[in-house]
Amino acid sequence: MKNIKKFFEREQNLLVHITMTVLVTIFGMIFNLQPYEWLLVCLMVAFVITSELVNSSIELVVDLYTDEFNPLAMVAKDVAASAVLVSAFTAFCVGMYIFIPKIIELLL
């Protein structure tokens, strides 16, 4: 339990992703998502969290390897962070595809 707490203190972005997962789940229940929509939501959540975990692993390995500035280390970290950004943007687009029609329907 102590290590999990330390992990969340170090990886604040993962806490943001988990918070968004909870919010999306609540909205999914409110809007009564169809099974295929839940599948898309679950896949996107797994995609983003997996990307964040891989990013964290790469950053830790790079930090373990060198304490000095290394341009290749910086590129490795930037590429890993970019993968998280791409996965989060993809999840956002899928979320908009699922939720915008439901919000419009609710407003009309």
Side-chain angles (χ1 to χ4, degrees):
M1 205 58 178
K2 189 167 106 177
N3 288 335
I4 292 173
K5 183 179 177 187
K6 284 174 69 175
F7 182 75
F8 278 110
E9 287 173 358
R10 186 185 183 290
E11 299 301 330
Q12 295 168 357
N13 289 337
L14 187 58
L15 192 57
V16 170
H17 296 309
I18 290 172
T19 302
M20 293 306 295
T21 298
V22 170
L23 288 174
V24 167
T25 302
I26 291 168
F27 281 114
M29 289 187 289
I30 290 170
F31 287 114
N32 197 25
L33 295 184
Q34 297 298 312
Y36 78 91
E37 294 170 324
W38 278 116
L39 176 65
L40 286 172
V41 167
C42 290
L43 287 172
M44 289 299 100
V45 166
F47 183 40
V48 172
I49 290 177
T50 299
S51 298
E52 187 65 55
L53 293 172
V54 170
N55 176 50
S56 297
S57 298
I58 290 170
E59 287 182 356
L60 289 169
V61 168
V62 167
D63 289 346
L64 181 66
Y65 177 74
T66 182
D67 289 332
E68 300 172 12
F69 176 77
N70 184 323
L72 291 177
M74 182 182 70
V75 169
K77 287 183 171 188
D78 288 347
V79 169
S82 296
V84 176
L85 182 63
V86 169
S87 68
F89 181 72
T90 302
F92 174 78
C93 291
V94 170
M96 293 299 99
Y97 172 78
I98 291 171
F99 287 105
I100 284 181
K102 296 181 182 308
I103 292 169
I104 290 172
E105 184 181 312
L106 182 69
L107 295 175
L108 296 178

